[in-house]
Amino acid sequence: MMAKMGYKAGMGLGKDAQGITAPLESKLRPKNAGLGSVEGFKEPKPMAAKENLPAPQQPPASAKKEKRWTKKASLKKAPVLTKNELLAMRTEQEQDEQPAVVQKVIDMRGPQARVLTDLKGLNDEQEMEANDVPMPELQYNVRLLVDEAKADVVRLDGQLRREQEKVASLVREKEKVSRQEALQRRQLQVMERIAETLERVRVDDTAGMLTLDGLLHTFQNMKVQHEEEFKMCSIAWIACRYAHPLLIRVFQGWQPLQDPKFGLDVMKKWKALLQGDQPFDFADGAASMGPYVQLVSEVILPAVRISGTNSWEAREPEPMLNFLELWEKQQLLPPIMLQSILEHVIMPKLSAAVDSWDPRRESVPIHVWVHPWLPLLRERIDTLCHSIRYKLSSVLHVWQPHDSSAYAVLSPWKGVFDSASWEDLIVRYIIPKLRMALQEFQINPANQKLDQFNWVMLWASAIPVHHMVQMLEIDFFSKWQQVLYHWLCSPNPDFNEIMNWYKGWKGLFPPELLANERIRMLLTAGLDMMNQAAEGLEVVQPGARENVGYLRATEKRQFDAAQQTYHAVPGAAMADLTFKESIQAFAMEQGLLFMPRVGKFYNGMPVYEFGIVSICIDSVKRLLYAQLEEGIERWSAVTLTQLMEMNRMGRPR
């Protein structure tokens, strides 16, 4: 049959002859004999061709002597682990090992695929075969049984732990529920007591037996005993409802401006009950009102509005100020109520009083009854300032410098008006009158009258410094230096008398003017003239150098014009001129006026008129400076082209 299937004797089985070459042989065993039970019995080995047999290997000496299944060998057993020891060992391994991601491994090397989650023991079967371990299949099966038993132990232990944790969690939950039950039972009892108390209050109120002190005492005890429930249930609003009609009767007929201390103690107690230590809410609107604020708005505020509207006069601010300061100091007047009083009581009264104020007829200055409200009104005062400026302007145009009452009325408003409005008021109405007074002022060392000078110095603290310095430089120091010059040039001048005269004038200037650099420079110029005269040097008349320069420029211009008639080389005449003379000649060529401004200096340099622009010349640095705006000390370096452009723009002086 095998020959029909293509088998050839001596060849291996299979299509490619890769199988065995010898046929299967059998050997009779003794009766009822199992594997390895008969001494000296060996299994028959398949016959193999000599050419396919490997070279015989000598077994190791130790293998010959080893008796694997002897009785003594069977006594060497692996240590047996109890459940507790196994769990303890696994716990130690879990603590030592780092947690790793569990991945499945499919072993396809055997006849059946195996799904593994751990690579330990993957090659145990192959190692046992390689080491000639006896009965590897049996040992493998036993090891599987042991691993399954271990897994069951671990699984059951995990279930036991989870059940124990669940029991502990349920115990804790039971305790928590018990505590909540006790708390809710206590809260229910508290609510029942509060409801009983409120019911007694309602009954007393219905019967007309409720008093303010009794009501206050009842709710104070309730707040002390049940503070948390008092806040949680908003009992303060209930107390406010019952207290409102009682407080209305207490404050009925109250005049807050005549008796501002009335009711302070009562409102302190009710504020402590309703408001406590909580700060006032600065939010605007009725929705943000607390019970105490609501009580003040319905009890105190109407009385203040009635008194403020009917009996309070704005020209007598003390009664209303005393009331507001007293209640605000005691922290009994909420901010929203204070703002309401200022908005609806104070401001209408002040506005009406300012509109009716006539500075020509009233002897009390307006700041006496307006300034006390500045800390409270703040930005609201701006609405009054416009009317006050208009009132002041209407009388200042007829004011004369000898009338010092204008200073008493106007000076307190310097820090209240904004700087631009204040400067406009001073420049428009005050400075022109003071300049006229200085222009009429005569400096006479023999018989000096200081009335007009004192009129001007009175305004030194009210007028902006730069305006004051400019006015003194033009209208006072020019005359003062001329008088000093003629006195020094007189025969045999008394220098001690001159020095005392100088010190006397210097002492008349207030500290804010003496601190100004320009004023010190003008005073120093007079001192330099005195030093020149004392040393026997020639005293130069103030302004003489500027006049000489102007004449020299005029003569030079005439000379240059004559040279041009003879076709001189352009620019030849300019080459010999100084920087200032060149600018003078340029102005003449353009047909513009160029002349010094007597007594006017900038940084120690004299000021000239170049057309309609004030300029000063720095001959050392060869720079030309122009005043950008008349009346304001703003100077900038310019070129001749820019200077001509400023003149063409026709900027008014």
Side-chain angles (χ1 to χ4, degrees):
M1 183 179 62
M2 294 177 63
K4 291 179 181 180
M5 296 174 64
Y7 172 72
K8 295 180 181 181
M11 301 295 290
L13 297 177
K15 180 180 178 180
D16 297 326
Q18 73 275 16
I20 59 177
T21 57
L24 296 177
E25 297 180 358
S26 63
K27 186 176 181 180
L28 185 63
R29 291 179 176 276
K31 186 179 180 180
N32 297 328
L35 296 176
S37 62
V38 181
E39 290 290 339
F41 180 81
K42 294 183 179 179
E43 287 284 343
K45 295 183 179 180
M47 300 298 293
K50 294 184 179 180
E51 60 274 16
N52 294 332
L53 293 176
Q57 297 182 354
Q58 296 294 331
S62 60
K64 295 179 180 179
K65 298 179 180 180
E66 182 180 5
K67 294 181 179 180
R68 302 178 185 273
W69 294 97
T70 61
K71 188 174 182 180
K72 294 182 180 180
S74 63
L75 295 177
K76 298 179 181 179
K77 298 180 180 180
V80 178
L81 297 177
T82 63
K83 181 195 72 169
N84 295 334
E85 292 174 347
L86 175 63
L87 295 176
M89 183 183 302
R90 182 173 181 84
T91 302
E92 293 178 359
Q93 292 177 354
E94 290 177 353
Q95 293 177 354
D96 295 339
E97 294 179 357
Q98 295 293 335
V101 179
V102 178
Q103 295 182 350
K104 292 183 179 181
V105 178
I106 300 177
D107 186 6
M108 304 290 293
R109 298 178 299 170
Q112 294 180 351
R114 294 189 304 167
V115 179
L116 305 175
T117 58
D118 190 358
L119 297 182
K120 293 181 180 179
L122 180 64
N123 296 322
D124 288 351
E125 187 175 352
Q126 288 75 12
E127 291 178 357
M128 292 171 61
E129 293 179 357
N131 296 331
D132 196 15
V133 177
M135 303 181 71
E137 295 84 359
L138 181 60
Q139 294 192 27
Y140 177 77
N141 293 335
V142 171
R143 187 166 59 253
L144 286 179
L145 294 175
V146 172
D147 292 342
E148 290 179 1
K150 288 182 180 180
D152 291 340
V153 171
V154 173
R155 177 177 55 80
L156 293 175
D157 179 69
Q159 292 180 355
L160 179 61
R161 289 184 180 181
R162 286 191 294 272
E163 294 297 332
Q164 291 174 348
E165 292 176 356
K166 185 176 181 179
V167 171
S169 176
L170 292 176
V171 172
R172 290 193 297 270
E173 187 69 21
K174 180 181 178 181
E175 294 175 354
K176 180 179 178 181
V177 171
S178 300
R179 289 194 299 269
Q180 291 179 351
E181 180 186 5
L183 178 62
Q184 292 178 359
R185 186 180 295 109
R186 187 186 67 83
Q187 289 179 348
L188 181 61
Q189 295 173 357
V190 170
M191 292 299 177
E192 291 176 353
R193 288 196 293 270
I194 292 176
E196 293 175 359
T197 304
L198 294 177
E199 180 64 21
R200 289 195 300 269
V201 171
R202 187 190 66 80
V203 172
D204 292 343
D205 182 53
T206 304
M209 301 172 57
L210 190 63
T211 62
L212 187 62
D213 293 337
L215 180 67
L216 179 64
H217 182 70
T218 300
F219 280 98
Q220 282 178 341
N221 291 337
M222 187 186 302
K223 184 177 181 180
V224 171
Q225 295 173 3
H226 316 296
E227 183 176 2
E228 184 177 353
E229 289 76 9
F230 190 90
K231 294 179 181 179
M232 181 177 64
C233 299
S234 301
I235 305 297
W237 284 102
I238 302 176
C240 177
R241 173 189 173 278
Y242 286 110
H244 177 259
L246 300 176
L247 287 173
I248 289 292
R249 288 198 292 267
V250 170
F251 285 94
Q252 187 174 6
W254 173 50
Q255 297 295 328
L257 301 185
Q258 282 74 27
D259 189 9
K261 295 183 179 180
F262 179 80
L264 284 176
D265 295 335
V266 175
M267 296 306 295
K268 283 181 182 178
K269 295 177 182 178
W270 280 100
K271 179 179 181 293
L273 174 66
L274 303 179
Q275 187 79 19
D277 298 332
Q278 298 179 359
F280 285 116
D281 190 355
F282 286 86
D284 200 0
S288 62
M289 286 187 181
Y292 176 74
V293 178
Q294 185 74 21
L295 200 62
V296 172
S297 66
E298 297 178 356
V299 176
I300 305 299
L301 185 60
V304 177
R305 283 185 175 179
I306 293 173
S307 296
T309 304
N310 298 336
S311 61
W312 177 61
E313 292 293 336
R315 288 175 172 80
E316 297 177 359
E318 287 78 13
M320 183 64 74
L321 280 173
N322 292 337
F323 168 78
L324 295 178
E325 290 175 357
L326 180 62
W327 281 69
E328 191 177 14
K329 183 179 180 181
Q330 300 292 334
Q331 297 182 354
L332 297 177
L333 195 62
I336 187 173
M337 295 297 104
L338 176 60
Q339 299 303 320
S340 177
I341 294 173
L342 293 175
E343 187 71 26
H344 301 99
V345 179
I346 307 301
M347 282 301 297
K349 281 280 190 175
L350 286 177
S351 298
V354 169
D355 293 339
S356 63
W357 175 64
D358 188 354
R360 290 171 292 190
R361 295 194 179 104
E362 298 190 24
S363 58
V364 179
I366 190 173
H367 69 272
V368 173
W369 46 273
V370 174
H371 280 199
W373 294 105
L374 293 180
L376 293 175
L377 294 178
R378 298 181 182 177
E379 293 81 5
R380 292 187 179 92
I381 197 66
D382 294 339
T383 59
L384 300 177
C385 287
H386 179 73
S387 299
I388 293 172
R389 285 196 298 268
Y390 176 77
K391 294 279 187 178
L392 293 173
S393 302
S394 64
V395 297
L396 285 176
H397 72 280
V398 296
W399 166 76
Q400 295 300 323
H402 62 82
D403 185 6
S404 61
S405 62
Y407 176 80
V409 173
L410 191 60
S411 59
W413 294 97
K414 180 180 180 181
V416 180
F417 295 162
D418 61 277
S419 58
S421 300
W422 176 257
E423 186 172 354
D424 178 71
L425 193 67
I426 292 295
V427 171
R428 182 175 297 182
Y429 299 105
I430 304 301
I431 291 181
K433 302 291 183 67
L434 295 181
R435 292 194 65 175
M436 291 176 60
L438 279 181
Q439 291 169 3
E440 297 173 359
F441 177 57
Q442 299 295 327
I443 300 177
N444 185 4
N447 184 18
Q448 186 64 62
K449 295 181 180 180
L450 298 174
D451 294 341
Q452 294 161 319
F453 185 80
N454 291 333
W455 300 343
V456 176
M457 289 298 105
L458 178 65
W459 291 87
S461 60
I463 298 177
V465 175
H466 61 280
H467 288 293
M468 193 72 181
V469 171
Q470 183 181 17
M471 179 173 59
L472 290 174
E473 183 177 356
I474 296 175
D475 299 316
F476 171 74
F477 276 104
S478 58
K479 295 188 291 186
W480 183 80
Q481 290 177 352
Q482 291 292 339
V483 171
L484 178 59
Y485 169 76
H486 290 296
W487 195 357
L488 292 174
C489 294
S490 64
N492 300 322
D494 188 349
F495 288 101
N496 292 329
E497 185 179 2
I498 295 175
M499 180 58 68
N500 293 332
W501 178 82
Y502 172 83
K503 291 180 179 179
W505 277 109
K506 186 176 181 181
L508 295 177
F509 288 90
E512 56 266 23
L513 288 179
L514 291 176
N516 184 267
E517 181 181 359
R518 189 61 190 165
I519 295 296
R520 292 200 305 270
M521 186 181 299
L522 294 171
L523 291 172
T524 303
L527 192 60
D528 292 340
M529 294 168 58
M530 295 163 56
N531 291 333
Q532 292 173 1
E535 294 174 1
L537 301 176
E538 181 182 359
V539 180
V540 180
Q541 184 178 3
R545 294 179 179 176
E546 289 77 6
N547 294 332
V548 170
Y550 173 72
L551 293 175
R552 289 185 58 189
T554 303
E555 294 176 355
K556 198 67 176 177
R557 181 181 60 83
Q558 295 174 354
F559 176 76
D560 292 341
Q563 291 292 328
Q564 288 179 0
T565 57
Y566 293 100
H567 306 285
V569 178
M574 299 289 289
D576 298 330
L577 297 179
T578 63
F579 182 62
K580 183 179 71 173
E581 292 171 348
S582 301
I583 295 174
Q584 293 173 349
F586 179 78
M588 300 305 174
E589 291 175 359
Q590 300 297 328
L592 298 175
L593 177 64
F594 184 91
M595 61 178 296
R597 296 186 62 177
V598 179
K600 177 86 174 161
F601 294 90
Y602 170 69
N603 289 341
M605 297 178 291
V607 178
Y608 302 86
E609 289 287 348
F610 189 95
I612 62 173
V613 183
S614 296
I615 66 170
C616 64
I617 301 170
D618 190 348
S619 300
V620 179
K621 298 181 180 179
R622 301 184 68 83
L623 291 175
L624 181 64
Y625 296 90
Q627 189 176 10
L628 300 180
E629 186 175 353
E630 188 69 24
I632 299 178
E633 292 295 327
R634 292 181 58 198
W635 295 76
S636 176
V638 296
T639 62
L640 290 175
T641 303
Q642 293 173 337
L643 196 57
M644 292 300 299
E645 183 65 25
M646 293 172 68
N647 278 277
R648 279 195 292 270
M649 289 172 62
R651 176 175 56 82
R653 294 177 53 189

